[in-house]
Amino acid sequence: MRDYKDLKEEELLKLILGGNLPEHIAIIMDGNGRWAKQRRLPRISGHKVGMDSVRDIITLSREIGIKVLTLYAFSQENWKRPQSEVRALMGLLQEYLKKEIKTMIEKGIQFRAIGEIEKLPVKTQEVINNAIENTSKNGDLILNVALSYGGRSEIIEAIKNILRDIEKGDISADNLNESLFEDYLDTSGLPDPDLLIRTSGEKRISNFLLWQSAYTEFYFTDTLWPDFRKKEMLLAILNYQQRERRFGLTREQIKRGLYAL
Ligand code: IPE
Ligand code: IPE
Ligand code: MG
C-alpha cells in the first residue's frame, strides 16, 4: 500500500472525498495520561490538550460530511479512577460544552449523549441537557458523546425495559428481533458505526458499543489522543476506504454486486 503519511492534508482530503465516506465513526480517545507522563506533566494536562483534539476532530468530521461521530469520553469503569481526576474530567467537559455550544448551534451540530447521564454531577448534567435541547433541530453532524457508558449494562438495561414492555402488553416476545432490540439501546435511531478508531496502541474494545460494533471496521493507531489531529483522522478514513466489507459474503458475491448490503 502507498505510504499516505507523506501526503499533505489537502491531498489526503481530496483522495478521501473521492471515495465512500463512513457514515458513522466511533472513537475510543485513549492515551491522555501517557501523553502527559511523557512530558512529566500531571495526567489532567493530557486531558486538557485532548480537548483540542476533540475540537479538531469534530470540525473535520462536519466539514467532510460525516453523519455521526461517537466519542467515548468516560466509561463506567473510569469512575474507579482517583476522585481528583474524575472531578477534573467532569469540569473539562462542562467547560468545553459551555464554550462550544454557540459554535455547535451555528455549525448545525446536534449534540447527544449516551450512557448513565443521571450518574454525572448535577452541574454536568445541566450543561449536557442544555446542549441537547439547544441543538436538537440541527442535522449536519450528530455528535454523540459516551459518558459513564458501558456496553454490557446498556444491553442489560435494554432487556429490562423490553421485559417491562412485554409485561405491560406493549410488545410481545414473539415480535422481538434485532431491529426492535436496537430501539431499546441508547443509540436507537443511529446507524451502527462503520469505523471504530482507538488511539494509543491499545487493541481492545473496553466495553464500548458491544452490540453496535458487530460489523464495524477497526482502526488502531499508536498515536496518543492529544496528538490525534486532522491528518491522523484523514489517514484513518483513507485506511477504511481501502477495505472490502463483506458482511459474511464471498468476495465474488460482493464484486458482482448481487446483494444489497
Ligand atoms: C483517555 O486517556 C481518557 C479517558 C479514559 C477519560 P487515559 O486517561 O485513559 O490515558 P492513558 O491510557 O492513561 O494514557
Ligand atoms: C477507554 O479507555 C475509555 C475511554 C477512552 C473513555 P480506558 O483507558 O479507560 O481503557 P482501558 O482501561 O485501558 O481498557
Ligand atoms: Mg487509557
Side-chain angles (χ1 to χ4, degrees), residues 85-218:
E85 182 170 340
V86 171
R87 209 177 303 130
L89 278 167
M90 295 300 152
L92 279 179
L93 173 71
Q94 262 168 247
E95 205 182 292
Y96 182 88
L97 283 179
K98 277 190 194 158
K99 214 156 74 194
E100 296 295 320
I101 183 74
K102 207 170 142 242
T103 315
M104 288 198 281
I105 295 171
E106 277 169 16
K107 303 282 183 190
I109 296 171
Q110 185 186 129
F111 181 84
R112 292 199 198 182
I114 56 171
E116 310 163 308
I117 304 308
E118 68 287 352
K119 293 215 174 133
L120 302 176
V122 178
K123 277 255 165 63
T124 315
Q125 289 186 45
E126 276 169 17
V127 286
I128 288 172
N129 290 330
N130 178 55
I132 294 173
E133 279 164 31
N134 283 302
T135 63
S136 64
K137 301 267 177 333
N138 288 348
D140 287 351
L141 167 73
I142 294 177
L143 169 63
N144 194 29
V145 180
L147 291 159
S148 189
Y149 175 86
R152 284 184 172 175
S153 79
E154 180 191 30
I155 291 170
I156 297 280
E157 277 310 307
I159 293 171
K160 282 186 181 166
N161 286 324
I162 288 168
L163 290 174
R164 280 187 202 117
D165 283 355
I166 290 177
E167 220 158 89
K168 279 196 280 174
D170 291 349
I171 57 169
S172 86
D174 290 338
N175 291 340
L176 184 58
N177 56 24
E178 291 179 12
S179 151
L180 182 61
F181 187 80
E182 281 166 3
D183 290 345
Y184 287 83
L185 294 174
D186 289 1
T187 48
S188 163
L190 297 178
D192 286 341
D194 301 293
L195 169 64
L196 187 146
I197 299 170
R198 183 167 189 153
T199 58
S200 88
E202 310 298 350
K203 294 175 184 70
R204 53 178 168 265
I205 191 88
S206 299
N207 207 7
F208 191 40
L209 301 177
L210 297 181
W211 169 281
Q212 298 86 340
S213 60
Y215 265 102
T216 299
E217 296 291 331
F218 287 70

Side-chain angles (χ1 to χ4, degrees), residues 53-102:
S53 298
V54 168
R55 191 177 296 108
D56 269 24
I57 297 311
I58 295 171
T59 308
L60 175 72
S61 302
R62 190 190 59 78
E63 281 169 359
I64 64 177
I66 301 297
K67 293 276 172 284
V68 188
L69 177 68
T70 298
L71 300 177
Y72 202 6
F74 195 83
S75 71
Q76 279 180 339
E77 291 76 18
N78 288 149
W79 287 115
K80 293 184 220 132
R81 290 193 179 192
Q83 227 190 19
S84 55
E85 182 170 340
V86 171
R87 209 177 303 130
L89 278 167
M90 295 300 152
L92 279 179
L93 173 71
Q94 262 168 247
E95 205 182 292
Y96 182 88
L97 283 179
K98 277 190 194 158
K99 214 156 74 194
E100 296 295 320
I101 183 74
K102 207 170 142 242

